[in-house]
RNA sequence: UGGGGGAUCGUCUAGCGGUAGGACGCCAGCCUUUGGAGCUGGCUACCUAGGUUCGAUUCCUAGUCCCCCAGCCA
């Protein structure tokens, strides 16, 4: 939006963007917004391109496995960087040369203050800082020291290279920001080739310039960094002058979205891993059954603005449901079984009934489901004393079994001790078989079922998103994980599914009739399918989020 | 108390001088051989106060509130 006018003329009308993750964690739904924005913008220009650049300037947190994961996730989302994959670490030599030039120009100096001293020299938000006593070293001395830094002659923390800007600037970022620090640590790509590493504020603008980025899009918290970004690009006298533009990052209400917290959940084994379906990571959402199309549609819808926003989880889930509604195969399953016996159906008979795979998509075809004398239906579909608005089974009531017959409930058998209903005895009307030309009697409700003899045992993971209550209210020394939604922690259950699900391919999307959307998990085995519930029950999570958790 | 941003239905988001639109959500009704599906209708908003103007959400002024910044993280 902001860029539409930039495209008219500036930068030769070209659009080159970049998605610049640091490979220190896995991508989450918040990154998806940035990915969709950057790649989407580039796609609007026929000649546009979006680079994938890894901002790997901090060797202590980064790893190749994250690089692979990020590549995988961006591709999964449906975006293509063609051959434009870059690493800030590939620019270390160039960056170093730019730095020497800055020193030569008298715009950078080696400071030998400790981190603590530097902090106190920096001043506060309201008081200006003071110049470091090392600020006026000669160009020669700076050059010598900087080369010694690179040569590994100093231990960590003894010196840094700083830009010489203005210690009294009201913008903290301009109070002689650190450009290089010493870190004797192995980098996952450059190994031990370097022991000094460039800081973000220095490496990022130059990386953009080197790559010929036209629009460098970042989040709001970098607005204060823009003057520094421009300073670096200008003083380094690079050919390209990219422009930094900020937008608000995505927040989803109650969702755990910080890399730090996600890492903590994984490390403390509160979740199964980065791909735990309860997490808002792309890997987790994918395992849970979210589709890239739905995530993209969501990102397009939430828009791009400069105001802080918190999106409701329901909006995300709406886009998932809408997409899944079109593409997922319908299938019958029973989560909480209640046995029914059809008294007038032959004990040795089995019928194969035709079932539609997806009413939204006729090309999905049909399959057959076995029907027999003993079936299971959902416990919730029977009530002994039905209230006014309840039209499903009750003593004396009639209901249709999906794809099968109309049945009538004769009586309920109860456990003599607990008084709970253990099974129902029914009769069926042979004239009412689904699809039969005649006898199209209407009944108030249709329910789903599985044949007891044919049903397959499956595991259903009724995941809800991992949510918290308002973490700003967590006392400082209190464990924030105590505020996690308890409903997302105990969620495994058995279920019975129709035989066609005996073998499923992981990632396959289903809608269990009247129960919701499920996705086949990689843990699925032939004979023991495993399904993750994709979208949580409509208000279950909302209620859970309101609950203050254990205290 | 310094600097930088931002304020439109409950939530996201359009409009940027001339009836404030859309989506989610919610409510009501209809439909249905699954629906949490579909259809119809309804609901609620321009931070405040001044000013400019025939007319201001839009322009100006002054306030209010919210977010970000004092890493050798990004």
């Amino acid at each position: 939006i902001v860029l539409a006018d930039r495209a008219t003329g500036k930068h030769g009308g070209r659009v080159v963007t970049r998605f610049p993750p640091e490979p220190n964690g896995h991508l989450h739904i918040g990154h998806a917004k940035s990915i969709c924005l950057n790649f989407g913008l580039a796609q609007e220009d026929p000649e546009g391109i979006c680079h994938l650049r890894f901002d790997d300037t901090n060797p202590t947190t980064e790893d190749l496995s994250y690089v692979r994961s990020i590549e995988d996730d961006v591709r999964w989302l449906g975006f293509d960087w063609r051959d434009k994959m870059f690493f800030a670490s590939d620019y270390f030599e160039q960056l170093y040369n730019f730095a020497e030039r800055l020193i030569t120009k008298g715009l950078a100096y080696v400071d030998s203050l400790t981190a603590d001293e530097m902090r106190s020299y920096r001043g506060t938000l309201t008081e200006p800082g003071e110049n470091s006593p090392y600020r006026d070293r000669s160009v020669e001395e700076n050059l010598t020291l900087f080369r010694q830094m690179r040569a590994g002659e100093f231990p960590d923390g003894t010196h840094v290279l700083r830009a010489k800007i203005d210690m009294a600037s009201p913008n903290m970022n301009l109070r002689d920001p650190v450009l290089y620090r010493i870190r004797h640590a192995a980098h996952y790509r450059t190994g031990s080739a370097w022991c000094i590493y460039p800081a973000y504020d220095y490496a990022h603008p130059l990386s953009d310039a080197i790559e010929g980025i036209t629009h460098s899009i970042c989040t709001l918290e970098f607005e204060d960094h823009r003057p520094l970004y421009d300073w670096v690009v200008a003083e380094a006298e690079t050919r390209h002058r990219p422009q930094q533009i900020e937008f608000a990052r995505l927040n989803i209400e109650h969702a755990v979205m910080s890399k730090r917290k996600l890492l903590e959940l994984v490390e403390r084994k509160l979740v199964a891993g980065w791909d735990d379906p309860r997490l808002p990571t792309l890997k987790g959402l994918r395992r849970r059954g979210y589709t890239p199309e739905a995530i993209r549609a969501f990102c397009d819808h939430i828009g791009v603005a400069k105001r802080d926003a918190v999106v409701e989880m329901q909006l995300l889930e709406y886009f998932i449901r809408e997409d899944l509604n079109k593409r997922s195969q319908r299938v019958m399953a029973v989560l909480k079984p209640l046995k029914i016996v059809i008294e007038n159906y032959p004990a040795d008979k089995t019928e194969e009934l035709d079932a539609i795979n997806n009413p939204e998509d006729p090309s999905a075809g049909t399959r057959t489901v076995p029907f027999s004398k003993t079936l299971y239906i959902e416990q919730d579909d029977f009530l002994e004393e039905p209230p006014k608005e309840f039209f499903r089974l009750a003593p004396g009531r009639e209901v249709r079994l999906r794809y099968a017959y109309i049945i009538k409930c004769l009586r309920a058998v109860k456990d003599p001790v607990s008084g709970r209903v253990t099974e129902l005895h029914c009769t069926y009307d042979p004239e009412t078989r689904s699809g039969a030309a005649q006898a199209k009697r209407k009944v108030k409700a249709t329910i789903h079922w599985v044949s007891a003899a044919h049903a397959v045992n499956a595991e259903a993971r009724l995941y809800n998103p991992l949510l918290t209550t308002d973490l700003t209210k967590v006392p400082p020394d209190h464990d924030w994980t105590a505020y996690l939604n308890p409903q997302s922690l105990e969620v495994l259950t058995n279920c019975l599914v129709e035989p066609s699900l005996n073998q499923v391919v992981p990632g396959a999307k289903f809608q269990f009739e009247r129960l919701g959307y499920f996705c086949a998990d990689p843990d699925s085995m032939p004979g023991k399918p495993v399904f993750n519930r994709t979208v949580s029950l409509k208000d279950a999570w909302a209620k859970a989020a309101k609950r203050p958790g254990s205290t």
Side-chain angles (χ1 to χ4, degrees):
Chain A
I1 314 168
V2 192
L3 305 174
D5 45 358
R6 300 316 199 274
T8 58
K10 213 165 169 183
H11 306 293
R14 269 254 291 174
V15 175
V16 182
T17 56
R18 100 268 94 114
F19 172 61
E22 184 190 11
N24 68 346
H26 296 265
L27 264 25
H28 56 68
I29 182 77
H31 296 109
K33 177 178 179 183
S34 172
I35 293 169
C36 291
L37 213 208
N38 279 297
F39 280 91
L41 237 29
Q43 278 171 2
E44 283 172 23
D45 175 2
E47 288 179 64
I49 179 88
C50 179
H51 298 182
L52 174 63
R53 179 175 71 238
F54 292 93
D55 247 347
D56 50 357
T57 55
N58 182 0
T60 57
T61 56
E62 297 156 4
D63 191 81
L64 188 62
S65 65
Y66 293 126
V67 172
R68 297 282 171 253
S69 165
I70 290 167
E71 282 183 77
D72 180 56
D73 283 343
V74 175
R75 228 180 265 120
W76 176 73
L77 261 185
F79 295 104
D80 179 16
W81 54 87
R82 287 185 265 172
D83 58 339
K84 306 295 186 190
M85 181 163 92
F86 301 106
F87 294 84
S89 51
D90 284 341
Y91 307 140
F92 282 173
E93 190 64 44
Q94 288 180 75
L95 262 23
Y96 176 84
N97 291 333
F98 278 127
E100 284 208 353
R101 195 184 308 169
L102 285 181
I103 294 172
T104 309
K105 288 170 77 176
L107 294 170
Y109 63 98
V110 173
D111 198 350
S112 308
L113 253 25
T114 66
D116 284 341
E117 290 168 335
M118 211 185 284
R119 190 168 19 254
S120 50
Y121 273 95
R122 188 154 31 222
T124 68
L125 294 177
T126 50
E127 305 155 28
E130 289 170 52
N131 287 350
S132 162
Y134 302 98
R135 196 175 200 256
D136 295 317
R137 291 212 252 230
S138 67
V139 168
E140 293 69 34
E141 190 183 1
N142 282 323
L143 225 37
T144 308
L145 283 168
F146 189 48
R147 286 170 181 161
Q148 287 175 316
M149 281 169 65
R150 176 179 183 172
E153 294 179 21
F154 306 116
D156 287 6
T158 50
H159 307 278
V160 292
L161 184 73
R162 300 178 74 177
K164 194 184 284 185
I165 305 181
D166 178 9
M167 286 306 289
S169 170
N171 182 344
M172 299 299 287
N173 296 294
L174 266 19
R175 320 246 261 230
D176 290 9
V178 170
L179 268 25
Y180 270 91
R181 71 278 206 189
I182 300 171
R183 275 255 211 298
H184 290 272
H187 187 279
Y188 75 100
R189 292 188 79 243
T190 61
S192 54
W194 293 86
C195 64
I196 57 172
Y197 291 91
Y200 166 88
D201 281 320
Y202 176 70
H204 199 91
L206 291 179
S207 302
D208 283 345
I210 290 168
E211 291 177 23
I213 300 298
T214 56
H215 305 280
S216 179
I217 298 167
C218 64
T219 46
L220 251 29
E221 66 267 31
F222 292 105
E223 282 177 320
D224 289 345
H225 296 241
R226 194 181 337 138
L228 177 54
Y229 183 102
D230 294 339
W231 183 91
V232 171
V233 169
E235 296 300 350
E237 297 171 38
T238 56
R239 229 174 85 223
H240 295 278
R241 299 294 166 85
Q243 175 188 7
Q244 174 179 307
I245 299 166
E246 305 84 9
F247 75 99
R249 61 164 77 223
L250 169 66
N251 297 295
I252 297 182
E253 54 166 7
H254 304 304
V256 181
M257 292 278 265
S258 86
K259 269 188 183 176
R260 200 208 109 231
K261 286 198 172 64
L262 290 171
L263 182 64
E264 189 180 341
L265 288 170
V266 173
E267 284 184 340
R268 288 176 53 183
K269 303 207 185 301
L270 292 165
V271 295
W274 285 99
D275 65 343
D276 189 293
R278 292 163 291 192
L279 262 22
T281 54
L282 294 182
K283 291 253 183 308
L285 296 177
R286 176 181 182 173
R287 186 164 176 187
R288 198 162 183 231
Y290 282 39
T291 61
E293 292 84 354
I295 293 175
R296 275 189 266 132
F298 169 73
C299 289
D300 287 346
H301 181 90
I302 56 177
V304 182
K306 279 197 158 213
R307 66 185 91 115
D308 303 302
V310 183
V311 175
E312 292 176 336
M313 182 68 80
Q314 297 145 100
L315 188 63
L316 210 208
E317 297 197 330
Y318 165 79
F319 282 95
I320 307 307
R321 268 191 247 111
E322 188 181 61
D323 186 47
L324 256 20
N325 183 41
K326 284 182 224 129
R327 68 202 316 156
S328 57
Q329 185 185 138
R330 313 301 133 116
V331 98
M332 291 199 286
V334 171
L335 251 25
K336 288 182 290 172
L338 173 60
K339 189 175 180 179
I340 70 173
V341 177
I342 301 176
E343 294 189 338
N344 58 342
Y345 196 87
D348 53 352
K349 189 173 171 186
T350 297
E351 282 181 89
E352 292 289 335
L353 304 172
D354 287 328
I356 295 162
N357 284 337
N358 186 353
E360 310 276 327
D361 177 13
S363 71
T366 62
R367 68 184 185 286
T368 60
V369 288
F371 182 87
S372 63
K373 184 181 181 74
T374 308
L375 311 168
Y376 288 109
I377 63 165
E378 202 67 37
Q379 280 173 24
D380 296 347
D381 287 339
F382 172 81
L383 276 182
E384 215 178 354
E385 288 163 31
K388 269 195 289 295
E389 294 299 303
F390 186 89
F391 297 119
R392 285 163 285 168
L393 263 193
R397 285 274 193 87
E398 281 193 323
V399 84
R400 172 172 290 281
L401 296 176
R402 173 115 246 238
Y403 303 123
Y405 303 94
I406 292 177
I407 59 166
K408 181 172 194 171
C409 177
L410 300 180
R411 62 197 166 87
V413 179
K414 289 187 189 176
D415 181 286
V417 181
S418 67
R420 295 185 55 123
V421 175
T422 56
E423 66 178 64
L424 304 178
H425 286 249
C426 304
T427 55
Y428 84 116
D429 180 348
E431 302 295 305
T432 59
R433 177 163 163 177
S434 191
Q438 302 302 317
K440 287 213 167 174
R441 270 165 60 210
K442 291 246 178 183
V443 285
K444 283 271 191 182
T446 301
I447 64 173
H448 57 277
W449 53 274
V450 291
S451 166
H454 306 86
V456 172
N457 261 298
E459 182 176 326
R461 299 176 176 172
L462 304 182
Y463 288 124
N464 287 321
L466 202 61
L467 303 174
T468 67
T469 44
D470 187 357
L471 290 182
T472 61
K473 301 204 172 95
V474 179
D477 56 344
H478 199 279
D479 182 7
W480 68 273
T481 59
Y483 290 75
L484 289 174
N485 170 3
Q487 287 206 7
S488 52
L489 301 173
E490 25 182 305
V491 289
L492 304 183
T493 184
N494 288 319
C495 71
L496 295 163
V497 298
E498 63 177 70
S500 66
L501 291 186
N502 195 28
Q503 268 194 53
V504 287
V505 311
K509 316 283 191 292
F510 298 97
Q511 185 185 138
F512 289 0
E513 304 265 10
R514 301 188 53 239
L515 293 174
Y517 297 104
F518 287 78
C519 177
D521 191 83
D523 290 347
S524 271
M525 308 273 281
K528 182 64 182 176
V530 178
F531 300 96
N532 297 319
R533 185 171 64 197
T534 304
V535 182
S536 51
L537 286 167
K538 243 186 174 174
D539 47 7
W541 63 267
K543 282 181 206 151
K546 279 178 208 150
R547 210 168 298 155
S550 51
T551 41

